[in-house]
Amino acid sequence: MIKRSHTCGELTKTNIGETISLCGWISKRRDHGGLSFVDLRDRYGKTQIVFNEELHSNVFKKAKKLGLEDVIGIKGVVVQRPSEAVNESMITGEIDVEVSQIDIFNEADAMPFDVNDRNSANEDHRLKFRFLELRTKDLQKNMFIRHKAAFAIRDHMSKNDFIEVETPVLMKSTPEGARDFLVPSRLHQGKFYALPQSPQTYKQLLMISGFDKYFQIVKCFRDEDFRADRQPEFTQIDIEMSFVDQYDIINMATGLTRNIFKEILDVELAKDFPQLNYHEAMERYGSDKPDIRFDMELNEMSSYVEASNFNAFKSVLEKGGRVKGIVCPNGESYSRKVIDELTDFMKIYYGAKGLAWLKCKDGKLDGGISKFFPEHVQNLMLSDLKINNGDIIFMIGDDVSVVWQALGALRLELGKRENLIDNSKWAPLWVVDFPLVEWNSDEQRWDALHHPFTAPHPDDIDLIDTDPANVRSLGYDLVLNGYEIGGGSIRIHKRDLQQKAFSLLGVSDEEAEEKFGFLMNAFRYGAPPHGGIAFGFDRIAMLMSGSNQIRDVIAFPKTTSAMSLMDNSPSNIDKKQLDELGLSIKK
């Protein structure tokens, strides 16, 4: 067997005259009579090797049989390329290797798609042959970025006195917002482990154990419904600290983020990231993860509506709703057809009842609902909102949550349509002062906005019993270019306050004891003030690689319906396995 002396990405003119050996896959071949040129590829790069019939006829005959993606080893001499054939864009572009010996390790069947062109097949087909897609240049680059990021994280955290502790993968089922993946126990039939949605309770226990600075790059599992940007299993950078407040966590996480981007992309992020409170983010951008790379903020329209004759929006205000709007340039490109498409988009996906509009033409508002606004109101709108000729104003009136969500989505859509987003820019942002709870109208109860262990703001504790909707939490999210890349909170560390939080969320004492008794019991033995954050490692890797979906940075991802097309999981199991577990399938 030929063993490589070099990789396919390192030979240069300094190696000319040396006898070397390479191993790899045949990426490309070109036959010219008595000469055959082959690009040999491994994960480090490509080297052009040459089979010369005149010099090595037996080797040349073997090479004639080679096909794309065959795996071979070769020995040969490094030679200078002719000047006209030099490829300066490649490290190996100044040399060839004249092959004197070959070892054919494996002949490949006809490929299901061209691994030199990832776009030669649709995504489902590529996912079926994911082990081949991982040979593509794009995915090899992405996996390397992910590897370097993990190394940089561990190095940075270790240098800052954090200790990495592995927590269990088989744990107790606890409600944390999504459905658990359950694992039946063979030894304890009828009982189940759960795969962790996060190591939340374990890292709090580690704080009680005295490990004041913990981190872990850890797998998490959530059985969620169809979401294009989610995976049933994903990776977190999980962090917890003791004797800190939320700004200690924010400063630590800012430093880690800056380090990752410097180490991997050589990008210098700002020393301090801007901060918005939750309410301001929603009012200005319609999102708790706003993309601040472009302006086009949401405008309050209530005063103009009240002075108008547009009764549809007036009735919204009378019922306690809100009316907000967006000023968008290039209004002439928004034909009635385009506006109708945007209206349907708002109705179907965000529950808006409609999308009103007005255009600015010759210094006046025209079309749409403009006729309902008297001239003096129009003049106020033009002046206050800095509306220019050619602009179009989109307005939505509804419950505030619908207005925020719909206009926030519309803002992003318009930003893309008008090329307002600078894709070369990195715009991190901290969002703070989240509500502690939100009302679940379907189940008529309060839900934790983050999780049930999030501490309320100390100034708002008295409101828990009387006005839960206005209780702020000590929760915080890190947003980058419109993606939430991290989120965390200061935790409740006192048993009585944790019981109060459970009570607010409708968790009975019995249920709290059953699901969280081990944590509540631990609080009795000296729990320090503590808090932490979890970063979405997949999402950070996705952003750094320039992709827009996390499947591109996960070696073996699932589809949006949580299936693996490569190994056909999930799959059926046989009756013997079911019997061992004491289970039967309910049809």
Side-chain angles (χ1 to χ4, degrees), residues 360-364 389-390:
C360 182
K361 185 176 181 181
D362 298 327
K364 296 182 179 180
N389 278 329

Side-chain angles (χ1 to χ4, degrees), residues 202-418:
Y202 289 115
K203 64 183 181 181
Q204 290 191 251
L205 290 169
L206 285 170
M207 295 302 103
I208 297 169
S209 301
F211 294 98
D212 64 316
K213 287 186 172 184
Y214 143 91
F215 87 102
Q216 186 181 187
I217 299 178
V218 59
K219 279 283 187 184
C220 301
F221 307 85
R222 292 179 187 171
D223 187 4
E224 296 180 297
D225 292 331
F226 182 94
R227 288 284 295 272
D229 63 340
R230 299 284 177 90
Q231 284 282 299
E233 53 180 308
F234 57 95
T235 305
Q236 283 186 354
I237 311 164
D238 203 49
I239 302 170
E240 198 80 1
M241 301 169 68
S242 294
F243 309 112
V244 292
D245 62 24
Q246 68 174 345
Y247 293 105
D248 294 316
I249 305 288
I250 285 172
N251 289 336
M252 176 278 301
T254 297
L256 174 60
T257 306
R258 294 183 73 243
N259 179 264
I260 295 170
F261 275 78
K262 178 62 179 175
E263 289 292 319
I264 311 307
L265 301 181
D266 197 25
V267 168
E268 288 277 5
L269 297 179
K271 185 176 180 182
D272 297 305
F273 300 166
Q275 292 185 20
L276 285 178
N277 66 53
Y278 170 85
H279 188 264
E280 186 179 4
M282 299 303 294
E283 286 288 346
R284 290 173 60 183
Y285 300 104
S287 172
D288 60 2
K289 48 181 184 294
D291 189 338
I292 59 172
R293 289 177 294 174
F294 68 109
D295 294 326
M296 197 184 286
E297 295 185 12
L298 280 55
N299 296 287
E300 183 60 50
M301 308 298 288
S302 300
S303 62
Y304 311 120
V305 168
E306 287 170 347
S308 77
N309 301 312
F310 193 53
N311 292 329
F313 277 175
K314 279 188 168 183
S315 66
V316 167
L317 296 177
E318 289 169 0
K319 294 174 183 176
R322 297 283 295 283
V323 181
K324 294 181 80 72
I326 291 178
V327 179
C328 176
N330 197 24
E332 290 305 313
S333 68
Y334 291 85
S335 64
R336 194 56 188 259
K337 179 176 180 294
V338 172
I339 293 172
D340 286 345
E341 289 172 355
L342 291 173
T343 302
D344 290 341
F345 176 64
M346 294 295 99
K347 286 181 177 179
I348 294 171
Y349 293 103
Y350 300 100
K353 297 178 180 66
L355 181 63
W357 60 274
L358 315 86
K359 290 182 180 180
C360 182
K361 185 176 181 181
D362 298 327
K364 296 182 179 180
L365 295 178
D366 184 50
I369 62 171
S370 61
K371 64 183 179 181
F372 296 103
F373 290 80
E375 184 177 352
H376 73 280
V377 178
Q378 290 194 18
N379 290 336
L380 275 176
M381 292 169 66
L382 291 168
S383 173
D384 294 347
L385 305 180
K386 297 180 174 56
I387 299 169
N388 299 311
N389 278 329
D391 289 349
I392 183 169
I393 305 96
F394 291 105
M395 298 168 63
I396 290 178
D398 214 310
D399 293 338
V400 66
S401 59
V402 173
V403 171
W404 281 342
Q405 190 176 29
L407 278 182
L410 181 62
R411 174 182 178 268
L412 288 177
E413 178 64 22
L414 297 176
K416 293 171 186 174
R417 283 175 176 260
E418 300 304 322

Side-chain angles (χ1 to χ4, degrees), residues 15-224:
N15 300 104
I16 290 172
E18 295 179 14
T19 298
I20 59 87
S21 56
L22 301 173
C23 297
W25 287 260
I26 294 177
S27 178
K28 189 176 181 181
R29 65 171 300 156
R30 300 165 298 286
D31 293 320
H32 299 282
L35 292 175
S36 185
F37 296 88
V38 167
D39 287 351
L40 193 65
R41 183 195 73 242
D42 61 15
R43 77 175 176 92
Y44 304 94
K46 292 180 183 178
T47 298
Q48 182 169 274
I49 61 176
V50 184
F51 297 93
N52 188 321
E53 184 176 25
E54 185 177 333
L55 294 177
H56 303 283
S57 59
N58 288 337
V59 173
F60 183 83
K61 286 178 183 177
K62 287 185 178 181
K64 292 287 283 185
K65 301 175 184 177
L66 295 174
L68 293 180
E69 299 303 309
D70 286 353
V71 188
I72 64 172
I74 61 97
K75 280 188 177 180
V77 177
V78 181
V79 298
Q80 175 81 51
R81 273 197 200 186
S83 58
E84 66 274 13
V86 168
N87 184 346
E88 295 182 353
S89 66
M90 295 174 60
I91 292 173
T92 62
E94 294 183 285
I95 59 93
D96 290 333
V97 177
E98 287 186 347
V99 180
S100 58
Q101 186 179 338
I102 186 172
D103 214 342
I104 301 174
F105 299 133
N106 210 312
E107 296 180 5
D109 289 346
M111 299 298 287
F113 67 92
D114 182 3
V115 298
N116 294 305
D117 178 12
R118 189 179 173 216
N119 296 317
S120 63
N122 65 40
E123 186 180 36
D124 280 358
H125 192 63
R126 298 196 311 267
L127 287 174
K128 183 178 180 181
F129 295 95
R130 183 65 167 190
F131 55 92
L132 296 179
E133 188 180 16
L134 284 168
R135 292 184 193 174
T136 64
K137 184 178 180 181
D138 287 346
L139 288 198
Q140 296 235 329
K141 179 202 76 171
N142 291 353
M143 292 302 111
F144 187 60
I145 286 173
R146 186 184 177 107
H147 158 73
K148 285 183 67 179
F151 185 85
I153 290 159
R154 286 193 165 97
D155 184 57
H156 179 85
M157 299 305 284
S158 181
K159 286 177 179 177
N160 284 276
D161 295 328
F162 284 82
I163 179 172
E164 183 165 16
V165 182
E166 291 180 287
T167 52
V169 173
L170 297 177
M171 64 175 289
K172 186 180 183 69
S173 178
T174 58
E176 292 192 38
R179 295 182 186 90
D180 285 327
F181 280 104
L182 299 177
V183 181
S185 170
R186 178 183 61 83
L187 297 175
H188 305 279
Q189 288 193 0
K191 294 187 177 182
F192 294 80
Y193 301 103
L195 302 181
Q197 295 185 31
S198 79
Q200 180 61 49
T201 53
Y202 289 115
K203 64 183 181 181
Q204 290 191 251
L205 290 169
L206 285 170
M207 295 302 103
I208 297 169
S209 301
F211 294 98
D212 64 316
K213 287 186 172 184
Y214 143 91
F215 87 102
Q216 186 181 187
I217 299 178
V218 59
K219 279 283 187 184
C220 301
F221 307 85
R222 292 179 187 171
D223 187 4
E224 296 180 297

Side-chain angles (χ1 to χ4, degrees), residues 557-587:
K558 306 291 190 292
T559 65
T560 48
S561 57
M563 292 184 63
S564 171
L565 300 180
M566 186 183 70
D567 60 9
N568 291 317
S569 63
S571 59
N572 296 321
I573 61 173
D574 60 38
K575 187 176 185 301
K576 181 181 178 182
Q577 288 176 288
L578 288 171
D579 289 343
E580 287 179 339
L581 296 168
L583 298 177
S584 61
I585 302 298
K586 184 178 180 180
K587 297 294 185 182

Side-chain angles (χ1 to χ4, degrees), residues 359-534:
K359 290 182 180 180
C360 182
K361 185 176 181 181
D362 298 327
K364 296 182 179 180
L365 295 178
D366 184 50
I369 62 171
S370 61
K371 64 183 179 181
F372 296 103
F373 290 80
E375 184 177 352
H376 73 280
V377 178
Q378 290 194 18
N379 290 336
L380 275 176
M381 292 169 66
L382 291 168
S383 173
D384 294 347
L385 305 180
K386 297 180 174 56
I387 299 169
N388 299 311
N389 278 329
D391 289 349
I392 183 169
I393 305 96
F394 291 105
M395 298 168 63
I396 290 178
D398 214 310
D399 293 338
V400 66
S401 59
V402 173
V403 171
W404 281 342
Q405 190 176 29
L407 278 182
L410 181 62
R411 174 182 178 268
L412 288 177
E413 178 64 22
L414 297 176
K416 293 171 186 174
R417 283 175 176 260
E418 300 304 322
N419 294 315
L420 299 177
I421 302 173
D422 182 355
N423 290 313
S424 67
K425 187 176 180 181
W426 297 103
L429 168 74
W430 283 104
V431 179
V432 300
D433 288 348
F434 280 82
L436 183 69
V437 292
E438 59 184 348
W439 183 248
N440 184 330
S441 56
D442 292 335
E443 299 188 23
Q444 292 293 297
R445 62 178 175 83
W446 294 104
D447 286 340
L449 199 68
H450 274 83
H451 54 63
F453 314 108
T454 300
H457 195 290
D459 293 344
D460 297 346
I461 288 178
D462 290 343
L463 298 176
I464 291 177
D465 295 324
T466 58
D467 190 10
N470 285 313
V471 177
R472 293 168 294 167
S473 76
L474 294 179
Y476 34 82
D477 282 356
L478 179 55
V479 178
L480 182 63
N481 294 1
Y483 290 92
E484 179 195 331
I485 63 168
S489 67
I490 297 299
R491 323 301 185 190
I492 297 170
H493 67 282
K494 293 183 178 179
R495 184 183 176 93
D496 57 345
L497 184 56
Q498 186 64 72
Q499 287 175 324
K500 194 178 188 73
F502 284 149
S503 177
L504 174 63
L505 299 172
V507 179
S508 67
D509 291 344
E510 293 76 16
E511 185 182 359
E513 178 61 31
E514 164 63 21
K515 295 186 180 298
F516 302 110
F518 61 97
L519 179 63
M520 299 290 281
N521 187 54
F523 283 163
R524 296 168 54 198
Y525 299 103
H530 59 282
I533 189 168

